[in-house]
Amino acid sequence: MKRVLIVGSGGIGRRHLKGYSLTGRAQLAIVEPDAGRRDEAKQLFGISETYTDIGEADLRSFDLAVICAPANYHVALIKRCAEAGLNFLVEKPLSVTMDEVDDALALVRAKNLVARVGYVRRVADEVVTLRQQILEGKIGRLRLAYLNSSQEFPKYRPDFQRTYYARPEMGGGAILDAASHLFDMLIWLMGKPTDVSCLFDRLVLEGTDTEDTCLVSIRFESGAMANVTINQFQKPNIARFEFIGTKGNLMLEHSTLKFADDDSGKWQDERDFMAGLVPTEAHQARFRMQADAMLDAIEGKPCWLATLDDARDNLRVALAAKQSWLEKRIVSL
């Protein structure tokens, strides 16, 4: 059993609490300043070891921390873990600015810690299979990608106006909160980004200071290009990611992976990776899979979860996207 400290027991913290509890490999403790949330987490997950502040916990007594506080606190918490020699997984995005990010990452490297970032799509079977087929050359050389992830966000998070999402300084909005998942997928599949352009705005959603829509274009070191489209007000829930190579295309639509290498207009090799599953349960299962991957990593096993360097590139793309629209120019990273 590994001693795991969950820092923050809000919505994402609870997903991690459930994920780690389902592994059967973790003894859990929590840091939660809100008494109500703390008591609820204790009751839901049978936790007896709780703290109101991370300073109360003996970090050296833990094997792993999972940082689930708002993104504007991530860098400070990363430094606390690194100074104590504590391995950690930090939720996305890595931060909301580049301030002190490089110092924190240098400290983690100096301590030789296992550290990853919680982009949970990396454990999804359909995304892992997509990546493997690209690496195996099924579509030839990958040159272009179109990603559209759009939905009626208030339906899924009716409290969005009262959460971090409403505040850009806490990492809310379509770019830092939602698009960063897609940026991570692109970085994993297409490599290091080099140039970014963007349009964004709050077109519909009221009661926030953040954008609900973004159109982001990215170029990569390989010369490949990608376009990311998000709006958070439309009624249909769309998640359609197309990867275009020199020999064919792969399309991931929600959990269904498709392939085409001709102009017949028909997709081949269609497979729904969630066939027969309840989507909400399957999504929660990914947090158990991510927890197992992280526990494997601290035991010295290979780990494909996003690295801090991946997340740094991701954050630079997000910040460049905002800079691009504000300054009306393409931003080179």
Side-chain angles (χ1 to χ4, degrees), residues 309-330:
D309 286 335
D310 291 337
R312 180 184 183 276
D313 285 341
N314 190 321
L315 177 59
R316 293 185 72 207
V317 169
L319 297 176
K322 294 192 173 190
Q323 181 184 1
S324 170
W325 174 235
L326 294 174
E327 298 181 2
K328 307 296 187 292
R329 68 183 182 89
I330 297 172

Side-chain angles (χ1 to χ4, degrees), residues 2 17 69 83 88 107 143 178 181 200 230 233 273 304-305:
K2 301 295 184 183
L17 282 164
E83 288 163 355
F88 64 87
L107 181 59
R143 305 305 292 148
H181 277 293
F200 71 86
I230 287 178
F233 56 84
F273 284 76
W304 60 93
L305 300 179

Side-chain angles (χ1 to χ4, degrees), residues 132-148:
Q132 188 60 38
Q133 291 185 359
I134 290 172
L135 291 175
E136 290 171 353
K138 186 166 185 173
I139 60 171
R141 189 180 178 200
L142 176 58
R143 305 305 292 148
L144 186 63
Y146 298 118
L147 282 65
N148 181 6

